Amino acid sequence: MNRTIIDVYALQTVPPSNLNRDDTGSPKTAVYGGVRRARVSSQAWKRAIRLMFADLLDRSQLGERTKRVGESLAARIQALDSSLTAEAASALATDVFVTGGLAKLDKKKGEVKDVESGYLLFLSHRQLDNLAAAALEAHRAGTALDKARFKALVDTEHSVDIAMFGRMVADMTDINVDAACQVSHAISVHAVDNEFDYFTAVDDRKADAAETGAGMIGTVEFNSSTLYRYATVDVDALHRTLGDAAATRAAVEAFLTAFARSMPTGKQNTFAHRTLPDAVLVRLRDSQPINLVGAFETAIGETHAVGRIEQAAAALARHTVAVETAYGERPVASWVTQVGEKTAVLADLGKAVSFGELVTGVGEQVSVALGQPA
């Protein structure tokens, strides 16, 4: 096989927190290795990563995911031609998405302002800009944007976030985009028991000192954990979608940065849980992705002598060597960023560098793999 696969592994400790809630407000969990683990869903962390992309990439490289497609397109149409009223721009946008088959008019209501799609629709800013220009051009020519033209415009100039995380359009499957990136659910390397914080809030306008009691009482559920995180990026698939080596490298570097530095924001004001990973390991492979979660199938236990991070780092190092030796999976290149002595054992798995050097090193290897100068 001749592929370019980037596997990213991280160990990250978070304090008491509720990063990702279920339908009852409890921190999400999962049973793995026969014990209950803390869990942060891949969807929650992918959302955090995608939001951080806005700080790392130009707006033109990104997209937006919304049901309010008519509103978004109408604003672009009116920006191109300020002589159009808001109602006229909205009517043009409605025609575009109804003709394209991604929105429907409510026949009982007749005309619909700011038409919505039936589900979240993921389009790049460039695709929306191109649709706006094409719709305006057709309007000035006294025609309408046809469906073939619509499909062509929404299936080219994909954004980085669409290329990374994919797009599924049930009503027009031929414009679907396969995700180049897969993100696993983060799980704790140890067993957890959720806890409850009983809190009270005082009413500031209680003037009578004799009036006792809280203005509000409640509970917040939380846990704390050392998380194992994993994601993989198929560089070849990413390049096929983006169509440009420089854009592919920029996308990979942005993803690595956001993977390490992003954090789901559930109950963030309550717990101030933002941490950075204790260790990040990146393996560049030419065969297939390999999730090393088996290192933690036996949950890390409690000892007074060795903390969880140190135990987790040692387990990950042992399992990595064992799996790669057994299957002859020698990585093309490997980088490690680790904090302090507790994760020092991981430094033997690759080139020990600062995180900035790791991102740049991976980016250079991506350029080489795509036939570009580093």
Side-chain angles (χ1 to χ4, degrees):
M1 288 181 280
N2 187 19
R3 305 175 65 186
T4 304
I5 301 293
I6 297 171
D7 280 343
V8 192
Y9 312 90
L11 296 175
Q12 185 164 357
T13 296
V14 291
S17 54
N18 188 343
L19 304 183
N20 187 205
R21 289 169 277 175
D22 65 16
D23 59 328
T24 67
S26 301
K28 288 184 177 179
T29 60
V31 174
Y32 180 66
V35 299
R36 181 73 55 185
R37 315 291 186 109
R39 177 173 66 92
V40 181
S41 72
S42 63
Q43 295 91 331
W45 226 306
K46 281 190 286 189
R47 169 71 173 167
I49 290 169
R50 196 163 69 85
L51 290 177
M52 184 166 277
F53 278 170
D55 298 326
L56 302 171
L57 296 166
D58 187 80
R59 183 177 182 274
S60 64
Q61 296 174 283
L62 300 174
E64 70 177 17
R65 188 177 61 180
T66 181
K67 294 175 69 174
R68 298 164 67 174
V69 290
E71 177 185 327
S72 181
L73 187 60
R76 286 171 165 83
I77 291 172
Q78 200 168 22
L80 291 174
D81 187 347
S82 58
S83 68
L84 288 175
T85 65
E87 291 74 16
S90 181
L92 275 178
T94 295
D95 289 342
V96 168
F97 284 109
V98 170
T99 300
L102 297 184
K104 294 180 180 179
L105 284 175
D106 188 332
K107 294 181 180 178
K108 295 180 179 178
K109 294 181 179 179
E111 291 188 9
V112 177
K113 184 178 184 299
D114 294 336
V115 68
E116 294 189 358
S117 55
Y119 42 78
L120 290 171
L121 188 59
F122 204 178
L123 295 171
S124 76
H125 289 303
R126 288 183 302 218
Q127 288 167 350
L128 286 164
D129 290 343
N130 292 341
L131 281 174
L136 197 54
E137 180 184 352
H139 171 69
R140 288 168 176 168
T143 60
L145 187 67
D146 62 69
K147 189 169 185 177
R149 177 69 171 147
F150 175 88
K151 289 173 68 173
L153 291 174
V154 298
D155 200 27
T156 54
E157 297 199 63
H158 294 300
S159 59
V160 168
D161 40 6
I162 290 175
M164 278 287 182
F165 302 125
R167 178 175 71 190
M168 198 281 283
V169 182
D171 295 331
M172 195 178 290
T173 56
D174 49 349
I175 66 167
N176 288 349
V177 178
D178 291 333
C181 172
Q182 298 170 353
V183 180
S184 74
H185 290 235
I187 62 169
S188 64
V189 301
H190 52 84
V192 297
D193 289 312
N194 288 346
E195 301 179 69
F196 290 87
D197 175 36
Y198 171 80
F199 67 87
T200 63
V202 177
D203 189 330
D204 291 342
R205 293 190 63 83
K206 280 189 175 180
D208 187 351
E211 186 180 356
T212 61
M216 175 185 176
I217 61 174
T219 59
V220 176
E221 200 169 353
F222 67 92
N223 57 40
S224 61
S225 58
T226 295
L227 298 169
Y228 164 80
R229 300 174 55 204
Y230 168 73
T232 185
V233 178
D234 185 330
V235 175
D236 305 304
L238 183 63
H239 184 238
R240 283 194 298 271
T241 301
L242 294 177
D244 180 80
T248 302
R249 173 176 176 171
V252 168
E253 292 183 347
F255 176 79
L256 291 173
T257 301
F259 179 87
R261 292 186 174 274
S262 64
M263 177 69 75
T265 57
K267 292 289 184 181
Q268 185 168 270
N269 291 341
T270 302
F271 293 105
H273 55 248
R274 290 196 71 103
T275 62
L276 291 171
D278 300 274
V280 177
L281 168 65
V282 176
R283 312 287 257 184
L284 184 68
R285 305 187 188 279
D286 59 5
S287 55
Q288 67 176 72
I290 302 174
N291 189 335
L292 297 170
V293 68
F296 309 109
E297 193 273 338
T298 298
I300 298 296
E302 299 286 349
T303 72
H304 295 292
V306 183
R308 285 174 175 166
I309 277 291
E310 191 170 352
Q311 292 183 72
L316 181 57
R318 288 193 303 269
H319 190 69
T320 301
V321 172
V323 169
E324 292 180 349
T325 299
Y327 285 91
E329 285 285 346
R330 186 175 181 84
V332 174
S334 184
W335 302 261
V336 182
T337 296
Q338 49 86 209
V339 179
E341 295 181 359
K342 292 181 179 179
T343 56
V345 66
L346 292 172
D348 294 334
L349 293 179
K351 185 178 181 180
V353 292
S354 69
F355 185 68
E357 292 170 328
L358 180 150
V359 171
T360 301
V362 176
E364 290 174 349
Q365 282 292 133
V366 166
S367 292
V368 171
L370 296 177
Q372 301 295 311

